[in-house]
Amino acid sequence: KQEVTQIPAALSVPEGENLVLNCSFTDSAIYNLQWFRQDPGKGLTSLLLIQSSQREQTSGRLNASLDKSSGRSTLYIAASQPGDSATYLCAVSGTYKYIFGTGTRLKVLA
Amino acid sequence: DVKVTQSSRYLVKRTGEKVFLECVQDMDHENMFWYRQDPGLGLRLIYFSYDVKMKEKGDIPEGYSVSREKKERFSLILESASTNQTSMYLCASAPAVGRYEQYFGPGTRLTVT
């Protein structure tokens, strides 16, 4: 059974820092991995999608990497800003459904 | 841009009431999903649908049913609401299961008293 873990559960950093969020999964037979952002009380916003054949994807200050063999993905946020404060979730896709981690709650201090 | 809308942002219902949560997507996606999200438990899949009138149970289907009469609309039904169904409910859609990204609606915060 696929399990997805995100460590740390919470993170607080000063503005301007580069930071890395981690996502690990137990079954490497995935189609893709998706990173989301969720603001309090809101739905999920898709940030990046990495197909299983890809190693990384970039969008602006965000870079996500995928290492299927080791069951790991990282989301790198460059030059963090207070507006980046949110919960970040990763999800892996199998044949019929998506499995989510419980998220990392990020706070960027001004 | 894909748009997924949910009928209510906030809903308060009484124990025993029948509750309908509606979700509509405008991108002709085959697949639609209902999740609930609770602190410490993350997102858990309740039901999903891969075609009109087709549905599959997710991880926690007990106490819920679904309806998909039209491709763009996926309804979640709580037959007799209970306090342990107080939660955030999130709807999502995707073009095909597993291979494409999911798009989420804004969520419905349901409180059952």
Side-chain angles (χ1 to χ4, degrees):
Chain A
K1 179 186 174 186
Q2 178 74 272
E3 293 183 3
V4 180
T5 305
Q6 290 186 249
I7 294 173
L11 185 61
S12 187
V13 300
E15 182 177 7
E17 268 203 16
N18 302 324
L19 55 99
V20 174
L21 306 181
N22 296 295
C23 173
S24 61
F25 48 95
T26 55
D27 185 351
S28 61
I30 64 170
Y31 282 119
N32 63 48
L33 185 143
Q34 194 170 359
W35 281 94
F36 295 89
R37 170 189 172 130
Q38 185 177 30
D39 293 293
K42 302 287 179 65
L44 277 65
T45 300
S46 179
L47 297 173
L48 289 165
L49 173 74
I50 311 177
Q51 300 290 354
S52 61
S53 58
Q54 297 175 317
R55 299 282 294 186
E56 65 179 288
Q57 281 285 345
T58 298
S59 176
R61 292 183 295 109
L62 305 179
N63 175 276
S65 67
L66 174 63
D67 184 342
K68 267 184 57 176
S69 61
S70 66
R72 291 170 60 181
S73 175
T74 60
L75 178 67
Y76 174 83
I77 303 177
S80 58
Q81 304 169 357
D84 295 330
S85 298
T87 296
Y88 291 80
L89 296 103
C90 66
V92 298
S93 68
T95 306
Y96 293 110
K97 61 183 183 179
Y98 303 81
I99 310 297
F100 285 80
T102 51
T104 294
R105 190 170 63 254
L106 172 66
K107 187 167 186 178
V108 181
L109 305 170
Chain B
D1 278 354
V2 175
K3 193 166 185 183
V4 181
T5 57
Q6 295 183 229
S7 50
S8 306
R9 290 300 312 279
Y10 301 95
L11 210 52
V12 180
K13 295 292 182 180
R14 293 186 183 273
T15 301
E17 277 194 77
K18 191 169 186 175
V19 181
F20 293 86
L21 303 182
E22 302 261 307
C23 176
V24 177
Q25 51 95 2
D26 67 357
M27 283 300 291
D28 203 35
H29 286 171
E30 303 291 333
N31 301 277
M32 297 186 74
F33 308 82
W34 274 108
Y35 297 91
R36 64 177 282 176
Q37 184 178 31
D38 301 286
L41 298 176
L43 272 80
R44 293 179 291 168
L45 181 65
I46 304 171
Y47 267 97
F48 67 97
S49 169
Y50 52 90
D51 202 351
V52 175
K53 296 191 186 296
M54 307 304 289
K55 61 186 179 185
E56 291 286 341
K57 293 180 180 179
D59 300 316
I60 51 163
E62 297 77 20
Y64 303 94
S65 62
V66 291
S67 172
R68 192 162 179 206
E69 297 297 318
K70 293 185 178 181
K71 192 175 187 179
E72 67 270 19
R73 188 180 298 269
F74 192 33
S75 301
L76 180 69
I77 303 156
L78 287 66
E79 296 289 344
S80 177
S82 64
T83 55
N84 63 14
Q85 292 179 310
T86 290
S87 186
M88 170 71 108
Y89 289 88
L90 293 162
C91 175
S93 73
V97 175
R99 297 181 186 275
Y100 299 92
E101 56 188 307
Q102 281 193 300
Y103 297 88
F104 278 81
T108 296
R109 171 73 65 184
L110 173 67
T111 302
V112 183
T113 62

